[in-house]
Amino acid sequence: MERTLKENGKFRYVEAGEGTPIIILHGLMGGLSNFAGVVDYFPNQGYRVIIPELPLYTNTILKTNVKAFARFVKDFIIALGETKVVLLGNSLGGHIALYFSKMYPELLRAMVLTGSSGLYESAMGDSYPKRGDYEYIKKKAEDVFYDPAVATKEIVDDVFATVNDRMKLIKTLAIAKSAIRHNMSKDLPKIHTPTCLIWGKNDKVTPPEVAIEFEELLPDANLFWIDKCGHAAMMERPNEFNSLLHAWLKERNI
């Protein structure tokens, strides 16, 4: 996915296609490239796909939290001139989408969550982060996927560089604490946004029981499984992910 970053004031983003806007929210250790399959597919189906760079490591420490990120997304949508969007979030991005749906439901047409935090997630474990231990980081990166080969050297190197950057490490831990603090279990029954849950059956970070709980607590949610798939379904199994999501969007007339 070689696409030029656009700029609009403080916002930097990738954009493709025209039509119903799908705004993608990446995870803590994920980047724009994780959604290459979505960006390649949906613009050909009548959708405008937009991926903003989230200010995970550029906000001040006081604004390094789920609530501030949701406000950033709201400001971004307004800057784009959109009024009703689909939010698609993976991992932390899903958590931001959930908090957004709590605060700004009037801006949402639908929400798509895949491997979302917000209820529970197993990140790096109690020993996180063994900053200098490359093999430890490599194993943790491989655990994100069903097929460890998906964790390329480039991905492992990016994670390793992040946890060995002192300020990024501080902000990573601040985000992790914020995610625990902003547990959504009590809010979910009040969120009536149509929600598509697409989950890897072999997700070790947000295990299958998390997806089941999301479906039970959200009033208007549909859960779909992808077999032999880990925490980042849109990345590990892009064809299945796109097919499931597109069928759901059509069924909902979105």
Side-chain angles (χ1 to χ4, degrees), residues 153-204:
K153 186 176 186 302
E154 182 183 9
I155 289 172
V156 177
D157 287 350
D158 282 348
V159 175
F160 187 73
T162 296
V163 300
N164 280 279
D165 179 311
R166 184 173 176 275
M167 186 48 67
K168 284 187 176 180
L169 175 62
I170 290 168
K171 290 185 174 181
T172 296
L173 296 174
I175 292 166
K177 288 177 182 176
S178 165
I180 294 166
R181 195 166 61 246
H182 290 101
N183 184 284
M184 302 295 295
S185 56
K186 292 180 181 176
D187 298 302
L188 295 181
K190 304 170 196 169
I191 294 173
H192 292 272
T193 303
T195 303
C196 178
L197 301 161
I198 302 178
W199 231 262
K201 274 195 174 178
N202 309 91
D203 189 340
K204 296 177 184 176

Coordinates of all heavy atoms in Angstrom, one line a residue, residues 153-204:
K153 N 10.3 -9.2 10.0 CA 11.4 -8.5 10.7 C 11.1 -7.0 10.9 O 11.4 -6.4 11.9 CB 12.7 -8.7 10.0 CG 13.9 -8.2 10.8 CD 15.2 -8.5 10.1 CE 16.4 -8.0 10.9 NZ 16.4 -6.6 11.2
E154 N 10.4 -6.5 9.8 CA 10.1 -5.0 9.8 C 9.1 -4.7 11.0 O 9.3 -3.7 11.7 CB 9.5 -4.6 8.5 CG 9.1 -3.2 8.4 CD 8.4 -2.8 7.1 OE1 8.1 -3.7 6.4 OE2 8.2 -1.6 6.9
I155 N 8.1 -5.6 11.2 CA 7.2 -5.4 12.3 C 7.9 -5.5 13.6 O 7.7 -4.7 14.5 CB 6.0 -6.4 12.2 CG1 5.1 -6.0 11.0 CG2 5.2 -6.4 13.4 CD1 4.1 -7.1 10.7
V156 N 8.7 -6.5 13.8 CA 9.4 -6.8 15.1 C 10.3 -5.6 15.3 O 10.4 -5.1 16.5 CB 10.1 -8.1 15.1 CG1 10.9 -8.3 16.3 CG2 9.2 -9.3 14.9
D157 N 11.0 -5.1 14.3 CA 12.0 -4.0 14.5 C 11.2 -2.8 14.9 O 11.7 -2.0 15.8 CB 12.7 -3.7 13.2 CG 13.8 -4.8 12.9 OD1 14.0 -5.6 13.8 OD2 14.3 -4.8 11.7
D158 N 10.0 -2.5 14.4 CA 9.2 -1.3 14.8 C 8.8 -1.4 16.2 O 8.9 -0.4 17.0 CB 8.0 -1.2 13.9 CG 8.3 -0.7 12.5 OD1 9.4 -0.2 12.3 OD2 7.4 -0.7 11.6
V159 N 8.4 -2.6 16.7 CA 7.9 -2.7 18.1 C 9.1 -2.6 19.0 O 9.1 -1.9 20.0 CB 7.3 -4.1 18.3 CG1 6.9 -4.3 19.8 CG2 6.0 -4.2 17.4
F160 N 10.3 -3.2 18.6 CA 11.5 -3.1 19.4 C 11.9 -1.7 19.5 O 12.3 -1.2 20.6 CB 12.6 -4.0 18.7 CG 13.8 -4.1 19.6 CD1 13.8 -4.9 20.7 CD2 15.0 -3.5 19.2 CE1 15.0 -5.1 21.5 CE2 16.1 -3.6 20.0 CZ 16.1 -4.4 21.1
A161 N 11.9 -0.9 18.5 CA 12.3 0.5 18.5 C 11.4 1.3 19.4 O 11.8 2.2 20.2 CB 12.3 1.1 17.1
T162 N 10.1 1.0 19.4 CA 9.1 1.7 20.2 C 9.4 1.5 21.7 O 9.4 2.5 22.4 CB 7.7 1.3 19.8 OG1 7.4 1.6 18.5 CG2 6.6 1.9 20.8
V163 N 9.6 0.3 22.1 CA 9.7 0.0 23.5 C 11.1 0.4 24.0 O 11.3 0.4 25.2 CB 9.4 -1.5 23.9 CG1 8.0 -1.8 23.5 CG2 10.4 -2.4 23.3
N164 N 12.0 0.7 23.1 CA 13.3 1.1 23.5 C 13.5 2.7 23.4 O 14.6 3.2 23.6 CB 14.4 0.4 22.7 CG 14.7 -1.0 23.3 OD1 15.4 -1.1 24.2 ND2 14.1 -2.0 22.7
D165 N 12.4 3.3 23.0 CA 12.4 4.8 23.0 C 11.7 5.2 24.3 O 10.6 4.9 24.6 CB 11.5 5.3 21.8 CG 11.4 6.8 21.7 OD1 11.1 7.4 22.8 OD2 11.6 7.3 20.6
R166 N 12.5 5.9 25.2 CA 12.0 6.2 26.6 C 10.7 6.9 26.6 O 9.8 6.5 27.3 CB 13.1 7.0 27.3 CG 12.7 7.2 28.8 CD 13.8 7.8 29.6 NE 13.4 8.1 31.0 CZ 12.7 9.2 31.3 NH1 12.4 10.1 30.4 NH2 12.3 9.4 32.6
M167 N 10.5 7.9 25.8 CA 9.3 8.7 25.8 C 8.1 7.9 25.2 O 7.0 7.9 25.8 CB 9.4 10.0 25.1 CG 8.2 10.9 25.2 SD 7.5 11.1 26.9 CE 8.9 12.1 27.6
K168 N 8.4 7.1 24.2 CA 7.3 6.3 23.6 C 6.9 5.2 24.6 O 5.7 4.8 24.7 CB 7.8 5.6 22.3 CG 7.7 6.6 21.1 CD 8.0 5.9 19.8 CE 7.9 6.8 18.6 NZ 8.2 6.2 17.4
L169 N 7.9 4.7 25.4 CA 7.6 3.7 26.4 C 6.7 4.3 27.5 O 5.7 3.6 27.9 CB 8.9 3.2 27.0 CG 8.7 2.2 28.2 CD1 8.0 0.9 27.7 CD2 10.1 1.8 28.7
I170 N 7.0 5.5 27.9 CA 6.2 6.1 29.0 C 4.8 6.3 28.5 O 3.8 6.0 29.2 CB 6.8 7.5 29.4 CG1 8.1 7.2 30.1 CG2 5.9 8.3 30.2 CD1 9.0 8.5 30.3
K171 N 4.7 6.7 27.2 CA 3.3 7.0 26.7 C 2.6 5.6 26.4 O 1.4 5.6 26.5 CB 3.4 7.8 25.4 CG 3.8 9.2 25.7 CD 3.8 10.2 24.5 CE 4.1 11.6 25.0 NZ 4.1 12.6 23.8
T172 N 3.3 4.6 26.0 CA 2.7 3.3 25.8 C 2.1 2.8 27.1 O 1.0 2.3 27.2 CB 3.8 2.3 25.3 OG1 4.2 2.7 24.0 CG2 3.2 0.9 25.2
L173 N 2.8 3.0 28.2 CA 2.3 2.6 29.5 C 1.2 3.4 30.0 O 0.2 2.9 30.6 CB 3.5 2.6 30.6 CG 4.6 1.6 30.3 CD1 5.8 1.8 31.3 CD2 4.1 0.2 30.3
A174 N 1.2 4.7 29.6 CA 0.1 5.6 30.0 C -1.2 5.2 29.2 O -2.3 5.2 29.8 CB 0.5 7.1 29.6
I175 N -1.0 4.8 28.0 CA -2.2 4.3 27.2 C -2.7 3.1 27.7 O -3.9 2.9 27.8 CB -1.8 4.2 25.7 CG1 -1.5 5.5 25.0 CG2 -2.9 3.5 24.9 CD1 -0.7 5.4 23.7
A176 N -1.8 2.1 28.1 CA -2.3 0.9 28.7 C -3.1 1.1 30.0 O -4.1 0.5 30.2 CB -1.1 0.0 29.0
K177 N -2.6 2.0 30.8 CA -3.3 2.4 32.1 C -4.7 3.0 31.7 O -5.7 2.7 32.4 CB -2.5 3.3 32.9 CG -1.3 2.5 33.6 CD -0.5 3.5 34.4 CE 0.7 2.8 35.0 NZ 1.6 3.7 35.7
S178 N -4.7 3.9 30.7 CA -5.9 4.5 30.3 C -6.9 3.5 29.8 O -8.1 3.6 30.1 CB -5.6 5.6 29.2 OG -6.8 6.0 28.5
A179 N -6.5 2.5 29.1 CA -7.4 1.5 28.5 C -8.0 0.7 29.7 O -9.2 0.4 29.6 CB -6.6 0.5 27.6
I180 N -7.3 0.4 30.7 CA -7.8 -0.3 31.9 C -8.8 0.6 32.6 O -9.9 0.2 33.0 CB -6.7 -0.7 32.8 CG1 -5.8 -1.8 32.2 CG2 -7.3 -1.2 34.2 CD1 -4.5 -2.0 32.9
R181 N -8.5 1.9 32.7 CA -9.3 2.9 33.4 C -10.6 3.1 32.7 O -11.7 3.3 33.3 CB -8.6 4.2 33.6 CG -9.1 5.2 34.5 CD -8.1 6.3 34.9 NE -7.8 7.1 33.7 CZ -6.6 7.1 33.2 NH1 -5.6 6.4 33.7 NH2 -6.3 7.9 32.1
H182 N -10.6 3.1 31.4 CA -11.8 3.3 30.5 C -12.4 2.0 30.1 O -12.8 1.8 28.9 CB -11.4 4.2 29.3 CG -11.1 5.6 29.7 ND1 -9.8 6.0 29.7 CD2 -11.9 6.6 30.0 CE1 -9.8 7.3 30.1 NE2 -11.1 7.7 30.2
N183 N -12.6 1.1 31.0 CA -13.3 -0.2 30.7 C -14.7 0.1 30.3 O -15.4 0.9 31.0 CB -13.2 -1.1 31.9 CG -13.9 -2.5 31.7 OD1 -15.1 -2.6 31.6 ND2 -13.0 -3.5 31.5
M184 N -15.2 -0.5 29.2 CA -16.5 -0.1 28.6 C -17.6 -1.0 29.0 O -18.7 -0.8 28.5 CB -16.3 -0.1 27.1 CG -15.2 0.8 26.6 SD -15.5 2.6 26.8 CE -17.0 2.8 25.9
S185 N -17.4 -1.9 29.9 CA -18.5 -2.9 30.2 C -19.8 -2.3 30.6 O -20.9 -2.8 30.2 CB -18.0 -3.9 31.3 OG -17.6 -3.3 32.4
K186 N -19.8 -1.2 31.4 CA -21.0 -0.6 31.9 C -21.6 0.3 30.8 O -22.8 0.6 30.9 CB -20.8 0.2 33.2 CG -20.4 -0.7 34.4 CD -20.2 0.2 35.6 CE -19.8 -0.7 36.8 NZ -19.5 0.0 38.0
D187 N -20.8 0.7 29.9 CA -21.3 1.6 28.8 C -21.9 0.9 27.6 O -22.8 1.4 26.9 CB -20.2 2.5 28.3 CG -19.6 3.4 29.4 OD1 -20.3 4.2 29.9 OD2 -18.4 3.3 29.6
L188 N -21.4 -0.4 27.4 CA -21.8 -1.1 26.2 C -23.4 -1.2 26.0 O -23.9 -1.0 24.9 CB -21.2 -2.4 26.1 CG -19.6 -2.4 26.0 CD1 -19.1 -3.9 25.9 CD2 -19.2 -1.6 24.8
P189 N -24.1 -1.5 27.1 CA -25.6 -1.7 26.9 C -26.3 -0.4 26.4 O -27.4 -0.5 25.9 CB -26.1 -2.1 28.3 CG -24.9 -2.8 28.9 CD -23.7 -1.9 28.4
K190 N -25.6 0.7 26.6 CA -26.2 2.0 26.2 C -25.8 2.4 24.8 O -26.2 3.5 24.3 CB -25.8 3.1 27.2 CG -26.2 2.8 28.6 CD -25.5 3.8 29.6 CE -25.5 3.3 31.0 NZ -24.6 4.1 31.9
I191 N -24.9 1.7 24.2 CA -24.4 2.0 22.8 C -25.2 1.3 21.8 O -25.2 0.1 21.6 CB -22.9 1.6 22.7 CG1 -22.1 2.5 23.6 CG2 -22.4 1.8 21.3 CD1 -20.6 2.1 23.7
H192 N -26.0 2.0 21.0 CA -27.0 1.5 20.1 C -26.5 1.5 18.6 O -27.3 1.2 17.7 CB -28.3 2.1 20.2 CG -29.0 1.8 21.5 ND1 -29.8 0.6 21.7 CD2 -28.9 2.4 22.8 CE1 -30.2 0.6 23.0 NE2 -29.7 1.6 23.6
T193 N -25.2 2.0 18.4 CA -24.7 2.0 17.1 C -24.6 0.6 16.5 O -24.1 -0.3 17.2 CB -23.2 2.6 17.1 OG1 -23.3 3.9 17.7 CG2 -22.6 2.7 15.8
P194 N -25.1 0.4 15.3 CA -24.9 -1.0 14.6 C -23.4 -1.3 14.6 O -22.6 -0.5 14.2 CB -25.5 -0.8 13.2 CG -26.4 0.4 13.3 CD -25.8 1.3 14.4
T195 N -23.1 -2.5 15.1 CA -21.7 -2.9 15.3 C -21.5 -4.3 14.7 O -22.2 -5.3 14.9 CB -21.4 -3.0 16.8 OG1 -21.6 -1.7 17.3 CG2 -19.9 -3.3 17.0
C196 N -20.4 -4.3 13.9 CA -19.9 -5.6 13.3 C -18.7 -6.0 14.0 O -17.7 -5.3 14.1 CB -19.6 -5.3 11.8 SG -19.0 -6.8 10.9
L197 N -18.7 -7.2 14.6 CA -17.6 -7.8 15.3 C -16.9 -8.9 14.4 O -17.6 -9.8 14.1 CB -18.0 -8.4 16.6 CG -18.7 -7.4 17.6 CD1 -19.5 -8.2 18.7 CD2 -17.7 -6.5 18.3
I198 N -15.7 -8.7 14.0 CA -15.0 -9.7 13.2 C -13.8 -10.1 14.0 O -12.9 -9.3 14.3 CB -14.6 -9.2 11.8 CG1 -15.8 -8.7 11.1 CG2 -13.9 -10.3 11.1 CD1 -15.5 -8.1 9.7
W199 N -13.7 -11.4 14.4 CA -12.8 -11.9 15.4 C -12.0 -13.1 14.9 O -12.6 -14.0 14.4 CB -13.5 -12.2 16.7 CG -12.9 -11.6 17.9 CD1 -12.0 -12.1 18.8 CD2 -13.1 -10.2 18.4 NE1 -11.6 -11.2 19.8 CE2 -12.3 -10.1 19.5 CE3 -13.9 -9.2 17.9 CZ2 -12.3 -8.9 20.3 CZ3 -13.9 -8.0 18.6 CH2 -13.1 -7.8 19.8
G200 N -10.7 -13.1 15.2 CA -9.9 -14.3 14.9 C -10.2 -15.3 16.0 O -10.1 -15.0 17.2
K201 N -10.5 -16.5 15.6 CA -10.8 -17.6 16.6 C -9.5 -17.9 17.5 O -9.7 -18.5 18.5 CB -11.3 -18.9 15.9 CG -12.7 -18.9 15.7 CD -13.2 -20.3 15.3 CE -14.7 -20.3 15.2 NZ -15.2 -21.6 14.8
N202 N -8.4 -17.5 17.0 CA -7.1 -17.9 17.7 C -6.5 -16.6 18.3 O -5.3 -16.6 18.6 CB -6.2 -18.6 16.8 CG -6.8 -19.7 16.1 OD1 -7.4 -19.6 15.0 ND2 -6.8 -20.9 16.7
D203 N -7.3 -15.6 18.6 CA -6.8 -14.3 19.1 C -6.3 -14.6 20.6 O -7.1 -15.0 21.4 CB -7.9 -13.3 19.1 CG -7.4 -11.9 19.5 OD1 -6.3 -11.8 20.1 OD2 -8.1 -10.9 19.1
K204 N -5.0 -14.3 20.9 CA -4.5 -14.5 22.2 C -4.5 -13.2 23.0 O -4.4 -13.2 24.2 CB -3.0 -15.0 22.1 CG -2.9 -16.4 21.5 CD -1.4 -16.8 21.5 CE -1.2 -18.1 20.8 NZ 0.3 -18.4 20.6

